[in-house]
């Protein structure tokens, strides 16, 4: 071979670009974890400050339940609309606008507003936060192929947990020392700081618009059976048994989330007779257990998928069985099983059911084409978050009419909801089957 025939060295740019893309993927994921932390710190304030808010504003338990449910009045609708919008507008800018709006919406409460503004602020906050979870998931999943989505998706979901784990003791101290209005000021400032950083580092990955068989995104892609946005409408996706099954399972999870955020501190203090400090610590413990469960589920599901186990077994059955275990914990608590087992039953009933959120998101992302992913996730979120509209009012009504026994009956009802959700997940969900049908 002559000098002129020597092949030039291959430039290292593709490898460097891959490394930069991976680094950017995890930077964006980290930002979205913090995004969800702030999001759930916002939600937790009313539950943590329930007693001083009710005393200061003269609210009955039912009225306070309505104040919590006011948050969900537009939450579900805007969750669906925001997901559809994110299929047409870059999610980066949608997320930025949402954070700015929800930070501003809390300013009146920090500055001394009364009952009317409490309701108005919670309605606006709910509208601004409605699309948060599906769009955050859509954005982070756009950076990863299907077989690597479990961990980042679980971390985004765990961000909700981290937010409350940090917020519960911190905001409780702040409320005790400086009044409940100071908590609204702190979370509003935190949202504004996040928005400032996101404006510079936010963005979407290449899996937002296409799948990549070389990275193991989806076996269907390699065979040409990947459904495309033009061939699959939202109605077909929403009509699949998998979408229906994970939505039902996720609904039961969100039912529990709504109870934890709005009523768990009061249930622990008034219903189970724990001190306020112990109640705050138990709230943090349950959210911490939820984080461990989420990450454990991500590891187990990823391991099963890499070993060739179907998504139906690796995702849906893991999530469905977990919901059934949670149902057993709630039914035991509601039946009056207290004493030494109380903390264990609280962990089972309230601490592990959150795993279904990640499973629902990754399952929908698996069956929906990239161009329909935001809408499919957003509509699912809109449906499941109606639980947040119903549950707080129901508990408030039960407490007003039955006293502390109302908490016990609410936990029994929650056990039944979890059991139904787990059964739906186990029996209906089969992503491989439904993806093939959508590709036809």
């Amino acid at each position: 071979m002559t000098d002129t025939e020597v092949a030039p060295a291959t430039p290292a740019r593709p490898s460097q670009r891959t490394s930069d893309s991976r680094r950017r993927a995890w930077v964006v994921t980290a930002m979205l974890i913090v995004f969800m932390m702030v999001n759930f710190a916002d939600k937790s304030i009313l539950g943590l400050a329930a007693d001083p808010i009710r005393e200061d504003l003269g609210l009955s338990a039912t009225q306070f339940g309505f104040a919590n449910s006011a948050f969900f009045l537009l939450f579900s609708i805007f969750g669906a609309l925001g997901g559809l919008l994110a299929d047409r507008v870059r999610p980066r800018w949608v997320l930025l606008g949402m954070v700015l709006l929800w930070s501003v919406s809390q300013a009146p409460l920090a500055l001394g507003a009364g009952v009317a503004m409490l309701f108005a602020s919670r309605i606006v906050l709910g509208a601004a936060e409605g699309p948060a979870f599906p769009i955050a998931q859509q954005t982070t999943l756009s950076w990863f192929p299907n077989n690597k989505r479990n961990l980042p998706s679980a971390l985004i979901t765990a961000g909700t947990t981290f937010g409350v784990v940090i917020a519960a003791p911190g905001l409780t101290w702040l409320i005790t020392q400086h009044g409940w209005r100071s908590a609204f000021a702190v979370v509003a400032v935190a949202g504004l700081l996040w928005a400032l950083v996101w404006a510079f580092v936010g963005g979407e990955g290449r899996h937002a618009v296409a799948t990549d068989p070389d990275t193991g995104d989806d076996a269907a892609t390699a065979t040409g059976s990947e459904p495309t946005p033009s061939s699959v409408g939202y109605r077909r996706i929403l009509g699949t048994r998998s979408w229906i099954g994970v939505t039902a399972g996720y609904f039961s999870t969100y039912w529990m989330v709504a109870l934890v955020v709005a009523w768990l501190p009061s249930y622990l203090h008034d219903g189970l007779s724990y001190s306020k400090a112990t109640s705050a610590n138990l709230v943090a413990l349950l959210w911490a257990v939820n984080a461990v469960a989420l990450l454990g589920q991500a590891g187990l599901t990823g391991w099963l998928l890499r070993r060739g186990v179907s998504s139906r077994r690796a995702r849906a059955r893991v999530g469905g069985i977990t919901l059934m275990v949670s149902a057993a914990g709630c039914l035991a608590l509601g039946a009056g099983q207290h004493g030494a087992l109380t903390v264990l039953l609280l962990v089972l009933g309230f601490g592990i059911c959150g795993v279904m959120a990640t499973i629902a998101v990754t399952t929908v992302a698996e069956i929906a084409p990239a161009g329909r992913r935001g809408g499919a996730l957003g509509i699912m979120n809109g449906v499941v978050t109606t639980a947040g509209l119903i549950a707080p009012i129901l508990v408030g009504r039960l407490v007003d009419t039955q006293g502390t026994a109302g908490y016990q009956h609410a936990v029994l009802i929650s056990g039944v909801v979890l059991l139904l959700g787990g059964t739906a997940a186990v029996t209906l969900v089969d992503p491989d089957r439904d993806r093939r049908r959508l590709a036809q």
Side-chain angles (χ1 to χ4, degrees):
M1 180 180 288
T2 66
D3 291 341
T4 58
E5 294 173 325
V6 175
T10 302
R13 290 179 182 176
S15 177
Q16 183 178 353
R17 284 198 299 268
T18 300
S19 177
D20 290 344
S21 177
R22 290 174 181 170
R23 188 180 302 111
R24 179 82 185 283
W26 286 108
V27 168
V28 170
T29 300
M31 284 295 298
L32 292 171
I33 293 170
V34 176
F35 170 84
M36 293 308 303
M37 289 173 65
V38 176
N39 181 287
F40 263 69
D42 292 346
K43 290 183 178 71
S44 69
I45 293 177
L46 252 62
L48 295 171
D51 291 341
I53 290 175
R54 286 177 59 187
E55 182 179 352
D56 191 19
L57 300 181
L59 300 174
S60 68
T62 299
Q63 289 171 327
F64 184 72
F66 272 108
N68 277 283
S69 292
F71 174 87
F72 292 97
L73 190 62
L74 296 179
F75 186 91
S76 300
I77 296 172
F78 276 75
L81 294 177
L84 294 169
L85 179 64
D87 281 340
R88 294 162 175 79
V89 178
R90 290 186 63 186
R92 173 184 184 179
W93 304 119
V94 179
L95 289 167
L96 181 62
M98 287 162 47
V99 174
L100 292 174
L101 180 57
W102 85 45
S103 296
V104 170
S105 72
Q106 297 179 92
L109 294 175
L111 297 175
V115 175
M117 189 54 69
L118 170 66
F119 279 82
S121 174
R122 298 306 285 182
I123 291 172
V124 174
L125 180 65
E129 291 191 350
F133 183 72
I135 297 180
Q137 288 282 3
Q138 177 193 12
T139 303
T140 198
L141 294 183
S142 74
W143 289 92
F144 300 91
N146 181 52
N147 63 350
K148 295 181 180 179
R149 285 174 179 161
N150 292 293
L151 178 58
S153 179
L155 288 171
I156 298 299
T157 307
T160 65
T161 294
F162 300 147
V164 180
V165 167
I166 295 173
L171 290 179
T172 297
W173 176 86
L174 194 66
I175 291 164
T176 302
Q177 298 297 319
H178 301 285
W180 58 271
R181 296 186 187 277
S182 63
F184 285 98
V186 168
V187 295
V189 170
L192 293 174
L193 292 175
W194 184 91
L196 180 63
V197 179
W198 178 256
F200 292 96
V201 305
E204 302 81 33
R206 63 194 177 98
H207 295 286
V209 295
T211 55
D212 185 354
D214 294 332
T215 58
D217 183 37
D218 200 322
T221 308
T223 62
S225 60
E226 173 73 8
T228 61
S230 60
S231 65
V232 180
Y234 291 115
R235 183 179 298 179
R236 289 187 63 198
I237 298 171
L238 273 53
T240 62
R241 294 176 67 188
S242 292
W243 190 92
I244 294 169
V246 294
T247 299
Y250 187 16
F251 178 93
S252 68
T253 289
Y254 211 91
W255 179 280
M256 300 304 293
V257 170
L259 291 186
V260 168
V261 170
W263 285 108
L264 183 59
S266 296
Y267 169 53
L268 295 173
H269 181 251
D270 300 328
L272 299 180
S273 301
Y274 288 109
S275 68
K276 289 186 178 181
T278 302
S279 296
N281 290 333
L282 281 173
V283 170
L285 170 65
L286 294 175
W287 283 102
V289 169
N290 185 57
V292 173
L294 282 166
L295 297 177
Q297 174 271 320
L300 174 62
T301 299
W303 179 75
L304 290 172
L305 289 172
R306 288 191 296 272
R307 290 178 64 86
V309 176
S310 68
S311 182
R312 179 182 187 182
R313 294 183 178 181
R315 285 179 172 145
R317 290 192 176 174
V318 169
I321 291 171
T322 302
L323 291 178
M324 292 177 181
V325 172
S326 293
C330 284
L331 293 173
L333 272 173
Q337 297 297 319
H338 302 315
L341 291 177
T342 301
V343 174
L344 175 60
L345 294 176
L346 285 169
V347 167
L348 293 178
F350 292 88
I352 64 174
C353 58
V355 301
M356 194 63 208
T358 296
I359 290 169
V361 167
T362 52
T363 300
V364 171
E366 187 177 354
I367 65 173
R372 293 286 186 264
R373 204 168 284 158
L377 290 171
I379 295 170
M380 177 180 69
N381 206 62
V383 171
V384 303
T385 53
T386 57
L389 186 64
I390 301 168
I393 295 176
L394 174 64
V395 177
R397 183 61 179 169
L398 289 172
V399 171
D400 269 345
T401 57
Q402 302 176 13
T404 56
Y407 291 115
Q408 185 173 324
H409 293 147
V411 173
L412 280 173
I413 292 170
S414 299
V416 174
V417 172
L418 285 167
L419 184 60
L420 293 174
T423 302
V426 169
T427 58
L428 295 179
V429 179
D430 188 345
D432 293 334
R433 173 202 62 207
D434 290 324
R435 188 179 58 235
R436 288 194 299 269
R437 289 179 178 176
L438 290 174
Q440 293 174 355

